Amino acid sequence: MSVDKDTVRRVAHLARIAVAEDELAPLGDRLNAILDFADQLAEVDVNDVEPMTSVTPMALRQRDDVVTDGGDVEKVLMNAPAARQGFFAVPKVVE
Amino acid sequence: MGELSRLTLAAARDGLRRGDFTAREITEDCLAEIDAADALNAVVTKTPERARAMADAADARLKAGDAPDMCGLPLGVKDLFCTEGVKSQAASNILGGFTPPYESTTTAKLWAEGAVMLGKLNMDEFAMGSSNETSCYGPVASPWRREGANAPLTPGGSSGGSAAAVAADLCLAATGTDTGGSIRQPAAFTGIVGVKPTYGRVSRWGIVAFASSLDQAGPMVKSVRDGAIMLRAMAGLDTKDSTSADIPVPDFEAALTGDIRGKTIGIPREYRIDGMPDEIEALWTKGREMLADAGAKVVDISLPHTKYALPAYYIIAPAEASSNLARYDGVRYGARAKLAADDGVTEMFEKTRAEGFGAEVRSRVMVGAYVLSAGYYDAYYLRAQKVRTLIRRDFETAFADGVDAILTPATPSAAFALGEVGGDDPVAMYLNDVFTVTVNLAGLPGVAVPAGLDGAGLPLGLQLIGRPWEEADMLNIAQALENAAGFSAKPARWW
C-alpha cells in the first residue's frame, strides 16, 4: 500500500500535526518505508486467532467510584502555558 | 575521586552497614564524577542539593539501624519518570519546562527505601529510538570507544543516558524503561546488566507513557545481584496502575545461588538471522556452552512467529503512542507554539505539535493515526494484535514443553557510531530491537548480561528470557551466566 500526498495531509490532520506542503512527499516516503515493512504481516494466517487485548491474562481491577484526590486547581494549572481565573486558557473556540 | 562511585549496589550496601564510608561520601563522589562527565551528555538535570539532603537523611537512617537495601545508594533517573519538583521532559521540547507536582510510584518506592537521586538522565524523545539520537538534549556519547579510534559511539537507546551513566560510574545504578528493548539493548551496548520485568511487575504510574501495553520500567545496574536488589525495591502492586499485578514480590536476591543444575534452556532457531555477524554467533554459542557446563540442559526450540515481531511492534507501538501522545496539545502543560492573531484552537494544536515533537516522534504518531484510521484498522492494527497472540503462544508452547528460560543474543551487533545507522531508512534503526521486541509483545521478563568483547573491544551481551513472573529464576540463570562469563572490562576514560 502506498501513501500519497493527499493521504499524508489527511493523516497529519488526524494527528493534529501541521505539515508544510514541501514536507508531505518526504514524510510520505518515510511512512511508506514503515508500512512496507509492516506488510510482511499479510503473510501470516490469522484466521481464527483472537487479537490480543491484554498482555497478561488478568481482568483490570476496578475501584469504588469515589473521589480519592482533587481540589488542586493550583497544582493542575501550574504547568499550563496559559491560565486565567482558575481555568486553562485557549484561543476562542466559539464564534 | 570516583572510587566509591564505582561500587556495585551490593558492595555499597554492605560497606555502608560496616561503616566503611557514608552515603554522603558516595554521593559526593558521584556528583564529582557527573560534573566531570559533561562530554557524555548523559545527565540532563543535575540535582546535587537534593542528593546531599537525601544522602544525609540516609546516613541518619543507617545510624538508627533502620536501613532497607537501597538506603544511601545514589541513582540516576531516566527523564521519562516524573519526579516531584524536578523538571521531567521525556527528552522532548513539547514538555519544555514541565515540572511535575507528583512523583512516579517507582521512584517514590526507591526514595522510601532511602535511595538518593543524583539527577535526570538523557534518553530518546518519548523513548522512541535505539541510539539516543532523537533526544531534544542531543545524543549521549557512549563511554566506550573502538580500540584505536575516537569516533563517538551510541550507548544505545532509548535508555541511553542511563546506560552511559552506569557504565561510566557516574552513579551506582539507574532506572530505565523498556518498550521494545530500551533497557536491554543499551545495557548490552555498554557492558552493564539491564532487567526488563514481567509486564505488570513494576507500576507505570507517573512514567510518561509511550506504548502502554508494552512499557515496563526496570533496573540498569552493574551486576545481576544489583538487578535483583533494585528490582525488589521497584516492584509491587500499585492501585494507581490498573495493569499493576497483585502478585507477591519475592526476595530476588535470595534466589541467586548460581546453581542451575536441572534447568532447561531453550535456544530458538529463528533467532539465527541472515547476516548476523560471526562474533554474535560465537558469543551465543559460548553462552550455550557456559550454561551447559553449569549443569543446565540446553535444547533447541522453535518460536515460529519471531520474524513477525518487529513488523507487529511497529504497528502496535505507534498506534498506542498516537493515542498516548494526543495529550500534548499546548493546553495543560509544556510548550505552546506562537500563534497568529486569527489562529483558532486547531491551529494551536497543529502548530504546537509540529514544533514540539521531533521528526521520529512525528512520523510514529502519524503511522499510529494511519493504522488506526477507518479503512486501515483491520488490515494493520487488528492483524498486528492477532500476530501478537501468535507470538505469545509460541512462548507458552516452549514453556509448556519444559523450558525454564530462553537464551538469545541481546543485539545484532556491537554499538555503532553516532550518525551511522538510520538516516532516510527508519527501518534500519528498528532492526536493533530484533532480539528484544518479542519479550515486550509477550509481556515476559528479560535480562541482558554482558558476556564478551568484539574485535574492536566493544561489549556484547546475551539475553535470557524468563517465564512470566519468574524473574527470580531468570536472574539466577543470569547469575550463572555472569559467573561463567567473568566480564570485567571497563571503558577507558577519555571524558
Side-chain angles (χ1 to χ4, degrees), chain A residues 13 30 43 50 55 61 89, chain B residues 244 308 336 360 389 392:
Chain A
H13 180 64
R30 206 173 162 83
E43 297 167 15
E50 285 291 314
V55 194
R61 263 186 323 280
Chain B
S244 162
Y308 302 106
R336 177 185 292 184
E360 182 65 29
T389 299
R392 188 172 69 195

Side-chain angles (χ1 to χ4, degrees), chain A residues 8 13 15 18 20 23 26-27 34 39 52 55-56 59 64 70 73 75 83 92:
Chain A
V8 179
H13 180 64
E23 288 172 23
L27 191 50
I34 296 165
D39 278 339
M52 190 190 280
V55 194
T56 42
D64 293 336
V73 176
K75 273 188 172 183
K92 195 158 78 172

Side-chain angles (χ1 to χ4, degrees), chain B residues 130-146:
Chain B
S130 306
S131 64
N132 215 118
E133 288 168 296
T134 70
S135 168
C136 76
Y137 304 111
V140 173
S142 172
W144 292 86
R145 285 178 163 178
R146 293 184 184 124

Side-chain angles (χ1 to χ4, degrees), chain B residues 259-336:
Chain B
D259 181 359
I260 59 165
R261 283 171 297 178
K263 294 290 175 191
T264 302
I265 309 297
I267 307 288
R269 69 174 64 98
E270 291 80 7
Y271 281 62
R272 192 158 281 113
I273 54 168
D274 289 343
M276 186 155 86
D278 292 343
E279 284 174 320
I280 300 288
E281 180 85 43
L283 181 83
W284 196 13
T285 304
K286 193 176 104 187
R288 182 186 178 132
E289 287 164 3
M290 290 189 294
L291 292 176
D293 289 347
K297 186 171 135 199
V298 180
V299 297
D300 287 310
I301 61 167
S302 176
L303 299 169
H305 295 90
T306 298
K307 179 185 165 195
Y308 302 106
L310 264 186
Y313 177 84
Y314 278 97
I315 297 300
I316 294 166
E320 294 186 13
S322 74
S323 167
N324 275 326
L325 272 55
R327 73 189 63 161
Y328 305 106
D329 54 9
V331 177
R332 285 160 293 172
Y333 26 64
R336 177 185 292 184

Side-chain angles (χ1 to χ4, degrees), chain B residues 72-446:
Chain B
L73 306 182
L75 308 178
V77 177
K78 188 177 184 181
D79 201 35
L80 203 62
F81 291 75
C82 287
T83 42
E84 189 175 353
V86 176
K87 197 168 83 131
S88 305
Q89 232 177 277
S92 180
N93 285 322
I94 210 162
L95 273 169
F98 175 61
T99 304
Y102 48 80
E103 185 79 29
S104 85
T105 296
T106 303
T107 48
K109 276 174 179 281
L110 290 166
W111 312 146
E113 278 231 353
V116 172
M117 177 163 88
L118 295 166
K120 303 298 282 286
L121 302 175
N122 207 343
M123 54 177 283
D124 277 296
E125 183 179 5
F126 283 108
M128 298 181 193
S130 306
S131 64
N132 215 118
E133 288 168 296
T134 70
S135 168
C136 76
Y137 304 111
V140 173
S142 172
W144 292 86
R145 285 178 163 178
R146 293 184 184 124
E147 257 162 37
N150 50 24
L153 303 181
T154 176
S158 67
S159 309
S162 302
V166 174
D169 294 319
L170 310 186
C171 52
L172 271 50
T175 64
T177 65
D178 191 314
T179 304
S182 282
I183 286 176
R184 291 158 289 154
Q185 183 255 20
F189 274 7
T190 55
I192 65 167
V193 173
V195 186
K196 184 255 169 215
T198 311
Y199 182 84
R201 179 65 93 181
V202 174
S203 169
R204 291 179 297 106
W205 192 85
I207 302 173
V208 174
F210 164 13
S212 304
S213 79
L214 301 158
D215 297 343
Q216 187 64 194
M220 301 185 70
V221 285
K222 298 178 190 178
S223 71
V224 171
R225 179 169 301 274
D226 284 9
I229 293 169
M230 188 162 159
L231 178 58
R232 188 189 188 192
M234 295 171 75
L237 174 66
D238 177 15
T239 53
K240 289 181 189 164
D241 173 357
S242 62
T243 59
S244 162
D246 191 2
I247 290 178
V249 179
D251 183 342
F252 299 115
E253 191 185 7
L256 301 182
T257 61
D259 181 359
I260 59 165
R261 283 171 297 178
K263 294 290 175 191
T264 302
I265 309 297
I267 307 288
R269 69 174 64 98
E270 291 80 7
Y271 281 62
R272 192 158 281 113
I273 54 168
D274 289 343
M276 186 155 86
D278 292 343
E279 284 174 320
I280 300 288
E281 180 85 43
L283 181 83
W284 196 13
T285 304
K286 193 176 104 187
R288 182 186 178 132
E289 287 164 3
M290 290 189 294
L291 292 176
D293 289 347
K297 186 171 135 199
V298 180
V299 297
D300 287 310
I301 61 167
S302 176
L303 299 169
H305 295 90
T306 298
K307 179 185 165 195
Y308 302 106
L310 264 186
Y313 177 84
Y314 278 97
I315 297 300
I316 294 166
E320 294 186 13
S322 74
S323 167
N324 275 326
L325 272 55
R327 73 189 63 161
Y328 305 106
D329 54 9
V331 177
R332 285 160 293 172
Y333 26 64
R336 177 185 292 184
K338 263 210 168 58
L339 302 178
D342 57 346
D343 278 345
V345 80
T346 303
E347 286 79 13
M348 179 192 71
F349 296 151
E350 293 187 346
K351 287 183 177 179
T352 296
R353 290 162 64 80
E355 264 181 32
F357 291 142
E360 182 65 29
V361 173
R362 286 200 302 269
S363 82
R364 290 201 201 188
V365 166
M366 289 180 62
V367 167
Y370 180 80
V371 301
L372 290 175
S373 67
Y376 301 104
Y377 180 89
D378 286 2
Y380 285 108
Y381 184 71
L382 190 64
R383 175 169 281 267
Q385 288 287 57
K386 289 179 176 180
V387 171
R388 191 174 179 185
T389 299
L390 294 172
I391 288 166
R392 188 172 69 195
R393 213 177 272 170
D394 286 351
F395 283 105
E396 285 167 352
T397 304
F399 293 137
D401 288 346
V403 166
D404 294 294
I406 295 166
L407 179 75
T408 78
T411 58
S413 71
F416 46 90
L418 291 168
E420 195 172 55
V421 175
D424 289 341
D425 180 11
V427 175
M429 185 66 84
Y430 297 170
L431 294 176
N432 260 287
D433 296 331
V434 66
F435 297 130
T436 48
V437 75
T438 50
V439 168
N440 301 77
L441 289 168
L444 302 172

Side-chain angles (χ1 to χ4, degrees), chain A residues 13-24:
Chain A
H13 180 64
L14 285 175
R16 298 291 185 270
I17 295 175
V19 176
E21 199 59 26
D22 60 344
E23 288 172 23
L24 291 173

